[in-house]
Every structure is written in structure tokens, then in C-alpha cells.
Amino acid sequence: MENKTSPRTGGGTLEMFVHSAFFLFEHKQLRLSDGGSPCAGRVEVYYNEKWGTVCDDSWDVTDARLVCKQLGCGDALQLTLPASCGPGTGPIWLNELDCFGNESFLWDCPNASWGSHDCSHKEDVKVMCSEHKELRLVNGKHRCEGRVEIFYNGIWGTLCSDNADKRDAEVICKQLQCGPLVSINYEALSFGEGSGPIWLDEIDCGSHETTLWQCQSDPWGQHNCHHREDAGVVCSESNVIEPEHHISRQCTGQTDSGLTLRLVGGNTRCSGRVEILCNNSWVTVCDDSWDMADAEVVCRQLGCGLALQAPGGAAFGMGDGAVWLDEVRCTGSESILSDCPSSSAAQPDCHHKEDANVICSELPQRSSSTPAGQKAETTYTPEVICITLGVQLICELIALLLVMRNKSNRKGEVEVILVHSHWISHIDSYRDQPSVHWSFEKTVTSPCLNLN
């Protein structure tokens, strides 16, 4: 009697092996690496049993939003990650992605075939999503004491001290790897008031959490607090060893208006190399990731109008001393530069040839009166622009008149007529020489007048 089960058993084993191999080959995953949380970092894709990266050729915000959506990390933020999130290794799996935004997975987007590219790992894509969170202590003597600040939705904010207790503070010290708790401050007397949103209130930790945002609390951004109630924490690990290439970012002499800034090497006080007064020394800022949003904050803090340019490469000469800040990531809405996210100190690849610079408009400003205790807001009005352009026009007309008089000994006639907000300048000369009779009109467009 023939054994008919053996062939079928062998065939079934082979079929299962093929199916398993096909599953392993087709199995794909997505993650963000080296960004400090699952919602920020270098984009990596698992394919063909290997983790690889994605090239930034043709990459745009639509592709980034799909990554954040697929990972359940909210929306994509247009912020640059610190240099510590460096290039990846292994294959570069995807290139020339062209997502529409309605795909379920990144690999569903039109792209070059898997592994086909002309990229290197320095072009690896990095993404920060709105659900990325960071924790820090600021204004203390070391990184393990200070005002509690939380980075969320692209902005640094604070923690309200209402109902905060020892267990909550212990979670903070544990998350920052700062040893046991020493004390918790319920008012901003020791470490100063923060700025920006108050992200968390009514916090209630159970001591078993590994991050502060795992604790129960009111919804993000909902509170009934003021910054005078910003929580502060002191942890026991005071002798924190920083990497050799890092310099502590705690600067003495910081005021309510933030770190003291100046612009050096420009033609006016509102243009030049950005320098910060830190520990009684002037230090510079690295131009890595430096852009117009960062320049806007510097111009605003200095009362220098709007940002016109944000040149890098030591455009106003190289500074000396330390290169203090790197990978500054302002959104442009901050009041002071120290409110902007940045790496903890300049990276070892930053030199003074990369000092950041700013050119501001330096237009006159008009501040409206505000109630006592409120911060006055500076506005730029059309009247200011009109007056400035009007003065320039009058000076040009006077100069033109003087030139014409110097060029001719003959009597000329200049008529300047204002008709319905239109300037008409008519010069009629040499009446005894018809062949030299001429006139001109010049039109200048401005926010205030049409000048003819």
C-alpha cells in the first residue's frame, strides 16, 4: 500500500517555508531613531530583514506628515533636529518619494525601486513630530536642578506646581538620570519665571512612571496657573559629568529679558555677528540650522525691527572665545533667543568660521501704551513707512534740482505740483532752443502714494 501522506507532508513543509520566507521578505516597519523619543529622529525602514534609511532627495513636508501619521505621533514640525541625530548605517532603502498624504504607509508612496539611489548617509532624512517631548531643568547651578521645562508641539513650556508633590519630582529626577530627589520648589523664586505655554497642571505620578508625561494630569495646555507658580526641582546628582566637547549652557547674568545679546561687525547696531554674554564673556552661535526664524527672534529681542537676512559663514568676521549654541531651532514666535530649542552646546564640528549673523531692518518702532505689568507689543505702522519713504523722495527731488542748476547757467523752471496725492515734476528749460526742450515723469510705487 502506497504511503500518500509523506509526499503531502513534505509538500506542506515546503509551502510553509516559502510562505515564511515571503513574509520575512515583505515584512516592513518604520521608526525614528536617535532623536530622543519615538516621535523624532532619523527615518528608518525595516525591509528584507535589515534596517535602512531614506534619502532626502525630493523629500517634503507631505512625506514627513505621513511618517508622523503612520507612527501615531501627530503632525510634522518644520524644526531641525540636533547634530547628535547623525547619519545612519546600512542600506538606503527609499529615495525620490512623492507622497500625496493619503497613503497608509510610507512605502505606499510613489518612489524609486527599493535600494535604488545615488545618495550617501549624510542625506538621511530626519523628522520631528508634534508629539515629540523633552524634559530639562534650567537656571540652576547644574543640569540636575532648576525650573522644570517641557518641550512639546515644538515649544518649550513649564510645569505648574499646583498639587505637585514628592512622587512627581522623583519621576523628574529619575527621567533625567539625576539621582534621588532633594527638594521641590513650588514658586518661581529660586529659578525664575518661565515663558511660553504652561504645558502640564494637576500632575499626579505614582512613582513607577519612567517619564513625566506618563503620569496623570489635565490635558496638555489646560491650566489655571501663572508663571509665578512654575515648579522647580533639585536632584542629588550635582556632579554631573558632561561630554568633553560640551560646555555647560548655564550662563550667569541672565535677566528677565533672557541672555544679553549684541551684534558685532556690522554697519549699525542692528547688523552683525550674533554674540551672547555668558559668564562675563562674549560667545558666538554656530550657523548650523541658522535661518530667518532664528534671525527674527534676535531682531525682536534687540528691538531692531524685522529680520532681513540670516547669513552664516562668519559674514561679519570670526569671533573669539567659545562657540556656545548650535542647532538653534526657533519657530520665529519666541520673544527671546534663550526660549528657542537648541543643542546643549556647540558640537565639535563648529568653528568660528561658522559664526551666525543677522541683518535687521532697524525701522522706527511705535509702541502702544499698555497696562502696568503687561508686556508692551511693538508694531510697525504704514504711517512710519510712508514718512520714511516721503523723506527719501523729497531729498532726491532737492538733489535733482541742485544738479540741474549746477549744469546750466541758464534759468530753468521747476514746477512741483501736488494733485490728488500725485507728485508731478516738470522741468522746462532752454526756451530759446526748441531742440533742447524736454520734460520727464518718474513713477515710484510705495505703500502710501503713487508718485509721478
PDB file of all heavy atoms in Angstrom, residues 81-109:
ATOM      1  N   LEU A  81      16.510  68.855  13.740  1.00  0.00           N
ATOM      2  CA  LEU A  81      16.978  68.076  14.877  1.00  0.00           C
ATOM      3  C   LEU A  81      18.437  68.393  15.167  1.00  0.00           C
ATOM      4  O   LEU A  81      19.175  68.811  14.283  1.00  0.00           O
ATOM      5  CB  LEU A  81      16.805  66.581  14.618  1.00  0.00           C
ATOM      6  CG  LEU A  81      15.402  66.047  14.923  1.00  0.00           C
ATOM      7  CD1 LEU A  81      14.530  66.126  13.680  1.00  0.00           C
ATOM      8  CD2 LEU A  81      15.452  64.629  15.421  1.00  0.00           C
ATOM      9  N   PRO A  82      18.871  68.187  16.420  1.00  0.00           N
ATOM     10  CA  PRO A  82      20.265  68.474  16.760  1.00  0.00           C
ATOM     11  C   PRO A  82      21.228  67.554  16.022  1.00  0.00           C
ATOM     12  O   PRO A  82      20.860  66.491  15.526  1.00  0.00           O
ATOM     13  CB  PRO A  82      20.318  68.227  18.274  1.00  0.00           C
ATOM     14  CG  PRO A  82      19.160  67.341  18.567  1.00  0.00           C
ATOM     15  CD  PRO A  82      18.100  67.721  17.580  1.00  0.00           C
ATOM     16  N   ALA A  83      22.498  67.997  15.987  1.00  0.00           N
ATOM     17  CA  ALA A  83      23.512  67.240  15.249  1.00  0.00           C
ATOM     18  C   ALA A  83      23.765  65.872  15.865  1.00  0.00           C
ATOM     19  O   ALA A  83      24.338  65.000  15.218  1.00  0.00           O
ATOM     20  CB  ALA A  83      24.812  68.043  15.212  1.00  0.00           C
ATOM     21  N   SER A  84      23.351  65.669  17.124  1.00  0.00           N
ATOM     22  CA  SER A  84      23.517  64.359  17.755  1.00  0.00           C
ATOM     23  C   SER A  84      22.725  63.280  17.029  1.00  0.00           C
ATOM     24  O   SER A  84      23.025  62.097  17.141  1.00  0.00           O
ATOM     25  CB  SER A  84      23.083  64.422  19.226  1.00  0.00           C
ATOM     26  OG  SER A  84      21.735  64.854  19.332  1.00  0.00           O
ATOM     27  N   CYS A  85      21.693  63.694  16.279  1.00  0.00           N
ATOM     28  CA  CYS A  85      20.959  62.747  15.432  1.00  0.00           C
ATOM     29  C   CYS A  85      21.681  62.707  14.090  1.00  0.00           C
ATOM     30  O   CYS A  85      21.326  63.408  13.149  1.00  0.00           O
ATOM     31  CB  CYS A  85      19.505  63.195  15.274  1.00  0.00           C
ATOM     32  SG  CYS A  85      18.512  62.104  14.246  1.00  0.00           S
ATOM     33  N   GLY A  86      22.719  61.901  14.008  1.00  0.00           N
ATOM     34  CA  GLY A  86      23.594  61.890  12.849  1.00  0.00           C
ATOM     35  C   GLY A  86      23.154  60.929  11.766  1.00  0.00           C
ATOM     36  O   GLY A  86      22.036  60.408  11.776  1.00  0.00           O
ATOM     37  N   PRO A  87      24.028  60.657  10.812  1.00  0.00           N
ATOM     38  CA  PRO A  87      23.695  59.748   9.709  1.00  0.00           C
ATOM     39  C   PRO A  87      23.554  58.315  10.182  1.00  0.00           C
ATOM     40  O   PRO A  87      24.133  57.916  11.203  1.00  0.00           O
ATOM     41  CB  PRO A  87      24.882  59.912   8.752  1.00  0.00           C
ATOM     42  CG  PRO A  87      25.998  60.408   9.608  1.00  0.00           C
ATOM     43  CD  PRO A  87      25.377  61.248  10.668  1.00  0.00           C
ATOM     44  N   GLY A  88      22.802  57.531   9.430  1.00  0.00           N
ATOM     45  CA  GLY A  88      22.573  56.141   9.784  1.00  0.00           C
ATOM     46  C   GLY A  88      23.595  55.222   9.136  1.00  0.00           C
ATOM     47  O   GLY A  88      24.612  55.654   8.594  1.00  0.00           O
ATOM     48  N   THR A  89      23.297  53.936   9.193  1.00  0.00           N
ATOM     49  CA  THR A  89      24.144  52.912   8.585  1.00  0.00           C
ATOM     50  C   THR A  89      23.266  51.938   7.820  1.00  0.00           C
ATOM     51  O   THR A  89      22.032  52.023   7.871  1.00  0.00           O
ATOM     52  CB  THR A  89      24.940  52.144   9.663  1.00  0.00           C
ATOM     53  OG1 THR A  89      24.023  51.562  10.601  1.00  0.00           O
ATOM     54  CG2 THR A  89      25.895  53.075  10.407  1.00  0.00           C
ATOM     55  N   GLY A  90      23.893  51.005   7.140  1.00  0.00           N
ATOM     56  CA  GLY A  90      23.130  50.000   6.413  1.00  0.00           C
ATOM     57  C   GLY A  90      22.647  50.524   5.073  1.00  0.00           C
ATOM     58  O   GLY A  90      23.066  51.588   4.601  1.00  0.00           O
ATOM     59  N   PRO A  91      21.721  49.810   4.449  1.00  0.00           N
ATOM     60  CA  PRO A  91      21.244  50.217   3.118  1.00  0.00           C
ATOM     61  C   PRO A  91      20.405  51.492   3.178  1.00  0.00           C
ATOM     62  O   PRO A  91      19.829  51.834   4.213  1.00  0.00           O
ATOM     63  CB  PRO A  91      20.392  49.020   2.668  1.00  0.00           C
ATOM     64  CG  PRO A  91      19.981  48.339   3.934  1.00  0.00           C
ATOM     65  CD  PRO A  91      21.099  48.542   4.909  1.00  0.00           C
ATOM     66  N   ILE A  92      20.366  52.213   2.073  1.00  0.00           N
ATOM     67  CA  ILE A  92      19.428  53.330   1.891  1.00  0.00           C
ATOM     68  C   ILE A  92      18.285  52.765   1.066  1.00  0.00           C
ATOM     69  O   ILE A  92      18.411  52.550  -0.141  1.00  0.00           O
ATOM     70  CB  ILE A  92      20.114  54.515   1.191  1.00  0.00           C
ATOM     71  CG1 ILE A  92      21.277  55.030   2.050  1.00  0.00           C
ATOM     72  CG2 ILE A  92      19.104  55.637   0.924  1.00  0.00           C
ATOM     73  CD1 ILE A  92      22.098  56.126   1.395  1.00  0.00           C
ATOM     74  N   TRP A  93      17.164  52.507   1.729  1.00  0.00           N
ATOM     75  CA  TRP A  93      16.099  51.743   1.093  1.00  0.00           C
ATOM     76  C   TRP A  93      15.251  52.570   0.128  1.00  0.00           C
ATOM     77  O   TRP A  93      14.872  52.079  -0.942  1.00  0.00           O
ATOM     78  CB  TRP A  93      15.189  51.116   2.142  1.00  0.00           C
ATOM     79  CG  TRP A  93      15.712  49.881   2.813  1.00  0.00           C
ATOM     80  CD1 TRP A  93      15.770  49.629   4.153  1.00  0.00           C
ATOM     81  CD2 TRP A  93      16.231  48.705   2.185  1.00  0.00           C
ATOM     82  NE1 TRP A  93      16.295  48.385   4.407  1.00  0.00           N
ATOM     83  CE2 TRP A  93      16.587  47.788   3.200  1.00  0.00           C
ATOM     84  CE3 TRP A  93      16.444  48.331   0.851  1.00  0.00           C
ATOM     85  CZ2 TRP A  93      17.132  46.544   2.928  1.00  0.00           C
ATOM     86  CZ3 TRP A  93      16.990  47.083   0.578  1.00  0.00           C
ATOM     87  CH2 TRP A  93      17.326  46.206   1.617  1.00  0.00           C
ATOM     88  N   LEU A  94      14.910  53.802   0.500  1.00  0.00           N
ATOM     89  CA  LEU A  94      13.947  54.572  -0.295  1.00  0.00           C
ATOM     90  C   LEU A  94      14.549  55.899  -0.735  1.00  0.00           C
ATOM     91  O   LEU A  94      15.327  56.527  -0.021  1.00  0.00           O
ATOM     92  CB  LEU A  94      12.668  54.833   0.506  1.00  0.00           C
ATOM     93  CG  LEU A  94      11.836  53.597   0.873  1.00  0.00           C
ATOM     94  CD1 LEU A  94      10.678  53.985   1.773  1.00  0.00           C
ATOM     95  CD2 LEU A  94      11.320  52.900  -0.397  1.00  0.00           C
ATOM     96  N   ASN A  95      14.116  56.350  -1.920  1.00  0.00           N
ATOM     97  CA  ASN A  95      14.618  57.601  -2.500  1.00  0.00           C
ATOM     98  C   ASN A  95      13.550  58.173  -3.426  1.00  0.00           C
ATOM     99  O   ASN A  95      12.700  57.439  -3.937  1.00  0.00           O
ATOM    100  CB  ASN A  95      15.923  57.325  -3.268  1.00  0.00           C
ATOM    101  CG  ASN A  95      16.558  58.594  -3.811  1.00  0.00           C
ATOM    102  OD1 ASN A  95      16.418  59.664  -3.219  1.00  0.00           O
ATOM    103  ND2 ASN A  95      17.254  58.493  -4.929  1.00  0.00           N
ATOM    104  N   GLU A  96      13.597  59.499  -3.619  1.00  0.00           N
ATOM    105  CA  GLU A  96      12.672  60.172  -4.545  1.00  0.00           C
ATOM    106  C   GLU A  96      11.213  59.870  -4.215  1.00  0.00           C
ATOM    107  O   GLU A  96      10.397  59.587  -5.100  1.00  0.00           O
ATOM    108  CB  GLU A  96      12.978  59.777  -6.000  1.00  0.00           C
ATOM    109  CG  GLU A  96      14.363  60.154  -6.485  1.00  0.00           C
ATOM    110  CD  GLU A  96      14.545  61.645  -6.723  1.00  0.00           C
ATOM    111  OE1 GLU A  96      13.537  62.381  -6.669  1.00  0.00           O
ATOM    112  OE2 GLU A  96      15.687  62.067  -6.951  1.00  0.00           O
ATOM    113  N   LEU A  97      10.880  59.932  -2.918  1.00  0.00           N
ATOM    114  CA  LEU A  97       9.487  59.710  -2.522  1.00  0.00           C
ATOM    115  C   LEU A  97       8.605  60.871  -2.976  1.00  0.00           C
ATOM    116  O   LEU A  97       9.031  62.033  -2.959  1.00  0.00           O
ATOM    117  CB  LEU A  97       9.390  59.560  -1.007  1.00  0.00           C
ATOM    118  CG  LEU A  97       9.860  58.211  -0.440  1.00  0.00           C
ATOM    119  CD1 LEU A  97      10.077  58.310   1.049  1.00  0.00           C
ATOM    120  CD2 LEU A  97       8.840  57.134  -0.757  1.00  0.00           C
ATOM    121  N   ASP A  98       7.384  60.550  -3.360  1.00  0.00           N
ATOM    122  CA  ASP A  98       6.440  61.570  -3.821  1.00  0.00           C
ATOM    123  C   ASP A  98       5.063  61.248  -3.246  1.00  0.00           C
ATOM    124  O   ASP A  98       4.145  60.846  -3.968  1.00  0.00           O
ATOM    125  CB  ASP A  98       6.419  61.609  -5.349  1.00  0.00           C
ATOM    126  CG  ASP A  98       5.564  62.740  -5.884  1.00  0.00           C
ATOM    127  OD1 ASP A  98       5.293  63.691  -5.120  1.00  0.00           O
ATOM    128  OD2 ASP A  98       5.163  62.683  -7.068  1.00  0.00           O
ATOM    129  N   CYS A  99       4.921  61.423  -1.931  1.00  0.00           N
ATOM    130  CA  CYS A  99       3.669  61.064  -1.250  1.00  0.00           C
ATOM    131  C   CYS A  99       2.578  62.100  -1.532  1.00  0.00           C
ATOM    132  O   CYS A  99       2.855  63.290  -1.712  1.00  0.00           O
ATOM    133  CB  CYS A  99       3.894  60.982   0.258  1.00  0.00           C
ATOM    134  SG  CYS A  99       5.141  59.771   0.765  1.00  0.00           S
ATOM    135  N   PHE A 100       1.336  61.637  -1.541  1.00  0.00           N
ATOM    136  CA  PHE A 100       0.185  62.528  -1.666  1.00  0.00           C
ATOM    137  C   PHE A 100      -0.403  62.882  -0.301  1.00  0.00           C
ATOM    138  O   PHE A 100      -1.155  63.834  -0.175  1.00  0.00           O
ATOM    139  CB  PHE A 100      -0.895  61.882  -2.551  1.00  0.00           C
ATOM    140  CG  PHE A 100      -0.464  61.684  -3.972  1.00  0.00           C
ATOM    141  CD1 PHE A 100      -0.008  60.449  -4.410  1.00  0.00           C
ATOM    142  CD2 PHE A 100      -0.482  62.735  -4.874  1.00  0.00           C
ATOM    143  CE1 PHE A 100       0.401  60.262  -5.723  1.00  0.00           C
ATOM    144  CE2 PHE A 100      -0.076  62.561  -6.188  1.00  0.00           C
ATOM    145  CZ  PHE A 100       0.371  61.311  -6.611  1.00  0.00           C
ATOM    146  N   GLY A 101      -0.091  62.081   0.713  1.00  0.00           N
ATOM    147  CA  GLY A 101      -0.569  62.345   2.059  1.00  0.00           C
ATOM    148  C   GLY A 101      -1.715  61.456   2.495  1.00  0.00           C
ATOM    149  O   GLY A 101      -2.018  61.368   3.689  1.00  0.00           O
ATOM    150  N   ASN A 102      -2.366  60.789   1.540  1.00  0.00           N
ATOM    151  CA  ASN A 102      -3.492  59.925   1.892  1.00  0.00           C
ATOM    152  C   ASN A 102      -3.087  58.450   1.978  1.00  0.00           C
ATOM    153  O   ASN A 102      -3.935  57.586   2.190  1.00  0.00           O
ATOM    154  CB  ASN A 102      -4.632  60.100   0.875  1.00  0.00           C
ATOM    155  CG  ASN A 102      -4.193  59.820  -0.558  1.00  0.00           C
ATOM    156  OD1 ASN A 102      -3.018  59.528  -0.797  1.00  0.00           O
ATOM    157  ND2 ASN A 102      -5.116  59.929  -1.493  1.00  0.00           N
ATOM    158  N   GLU A 103      -1.808  58.162   1.825  1.00  0.00           N
ATOM    159  CA  GLU A 103      -1.344  56.774   1.925  1.00  0.00           C
ATOM    160  C   GLU A 103      -1.365  56.319   3.382  1.00  0.00           C
ATOM    161  O   GLU A 103      -1.325  57.139   4.317  1.00  0.00           O
ATOM    162  CB  GLU A 103       0.084  56.640   1.378  1.00  0.00           C
ATOM    163  CG  GLU A 103       0.232  56.970  -0.102  1.00  0.00           C
ATOM    164  CD  GLU A 103       0.501  58.437  -0.374  1.00  0.00           C
ATOM    165  OE1 GLU A 103       0.418  59.247   0.579  1.00  0.00           O
ATOM    166  OE2 GLU A 103       0.789  58.787  -1.525  1.00  0.00           O
ATOM    167  N   SER A 104      -1.411  55.010   3.587  1.00  0.00           N
ATOM    168  CA  SER A 104      -1.387  54.456   4.941  1.00  0.00           C
ATOM    169  C   SER A 104       0.035  54.208   5.423  1.00  0.00           C
ATOM    170  O   SER A 104       0.306  54.279   6.628  1.00  0.00           O
ATOM    171  CB  SER A 104      -2.177  53.143   4.990  1.00  0.00           C
ATOM    172  OG  SER A 104      -3.532  53.348   4.645  1.00  0.00           O
ATOM    173  N   PHE A 105       0.939  53.911   4.494  1.00  0.00           N
ATOM    174  CA  PHE A 105       2.316  53.595   4.845  1.00  0.00           C
ATOM    175  C   PHE A 105       3.264  54.359   3.928  1.00  0.00           C
ATOM    176  O   PHE A 105       2.936  54.651   2.776  1.00  0.00           O
ATOM    177  CB  PHE A 105       2.569  52.086   4.726  1.00  0.00           C
ATOM    178  CG  PHE A 105       1.640  51.241   5.536  1.00  0.00           C
ATOM    179  CD1 PHE A 105       0.560  50.606   4.934  1.00  0.00           C
ATOM    180  CD2 PHE A 105       1.832  51.097   6.901  1.00  0.00           C
ATOM    181  CE1 PHE A 105      -0.309  49.831   5.679  1.00  0.00           C
ATOM    182  CE2 PHE A 105       0.969  50.316   7.655  1.00  0.00           C
ATOM    183  CZ  PHE A 105      -0.115  49.684   7.054  1.00  0.00           C
ATOM    184  N   LEU A 106       4.452  54.646   4.448  1.00  0.00           N
ATOM    185  CA  LEU A 106       5.429  55.412   3.674  1.00  0.00           C
ATOM    186  C   LEU A 106       5.797  54.699   2.385  1.00  0.00           C
ATOM    187  O   LEU A 106       5.998  55.328   1.341  1.00  0.00           O
ATOM    188  CB  LEU A 106       6.679  55.647   4.542  1.00  0.00           C
ATOM    189  CG  LEU A 106       7.748  56.552   3.945  1.00  0.00           C
ATOM    190  CD1 LEU A 106       7.225  57.969   3.796  1.00  0.00           C
ATOM    191  CD2 LEU A 106       9.013  56.543   4.797  1.00  0.00           C
ATOM    192  N   TRP A 107       5.896  53.376   2.435  1.00  0.00           N
ATOM    193  CA  TRP A 107       6.315  52.628   1.250  1.00  0.00           C
ATOM    194  C   TRP A 107       5.203  52.488   0.212  1.00  0.00           C
ATOM    195  O   TRP A 107       5.421  51.923  -0.856  1.00  0.00           O
ATOM    196  CB  TRP A 107       6.849  51.252   1.650  1.00  0.00           C
ATOM    197  CG  TRP A 107       6.060  50.597   2.753  1.00  0.00           C
ATOM    198  CD1 TRP A 107       4.902  49.883   2.648  1.00  0.00           C
ATOM    199  CD2 TRP A 107       6.375  50.641   4.154  1.00  0.00           C
ATOM    200  NE1 TRP A 107       4.478  49.461   3.872  1.00  0.00           N
ATOM    201  CE2 TRP A 107       5.374  49.914   4.838  1.00  0.00           C
ATOM    202  CE3 TRP A 107       7.403  51.216   4.896  1.00  0.00           C
ATOM    203  CZ2 TRP A 107       5.367  49.763   6.218  1.00  0.00           C
ATOM    204  CZ3 TRP A 107       7.398  51.061   6.268  1.00  0.00           C
ATOM    205  CH2 TRP A 107       6.396  50.332   6.923  1.00  0.00           C
ATOM    206  N   ASP A 108       4.002  53.002   0.537  1.00  0.00           N
ATOM    207  CA  ASP A 108       2.938  53.034  -0.471  1.00  0.00           C
ATOM    208  C   ASP A 108       3.099  54.229  -1.422  1.00  0.00           C
ATOM    209  O   ASP A 108       2.419  54.290  -2.453  1.00  0.00           O
ATOM    210  CB  ASP A 108       1.562  53.128   0.200  1.00  0.00           C
ATOM    211  CG  ASP A 108       1.185  51.843   0.919  1.00  0.00           C
ATOM    212  OD1 ASP A 108       1.784  50.798   0.590  1.00  0.00           O
ATOM    213  OD2 ASP A 108       0.318  51.895   1.816  1.00  0.00           O
ATOM    214  N   CYS A 109       3.969  55.180  -1.074  1.00  0.00           N
ATOM    215  CA  CYS A 109       4.153  56.373  -1.902  1.00  0.00           C
ATOM    216  C   CYS A 109       4.931  56.021  -3.173  1.00  0.00           C
ATOM    217  O   CYS A 109       5.779  55.119  -3.162  1.00  0.00           O
ATOM    218  CB  CYS A 109       4.930  57.443  -1.145  1.00  0.00           C
ATOM    219  SG  CYS A 109       4.152  57.968   0.409  1.00  0.00           S
TER     220      CYS A 109
END
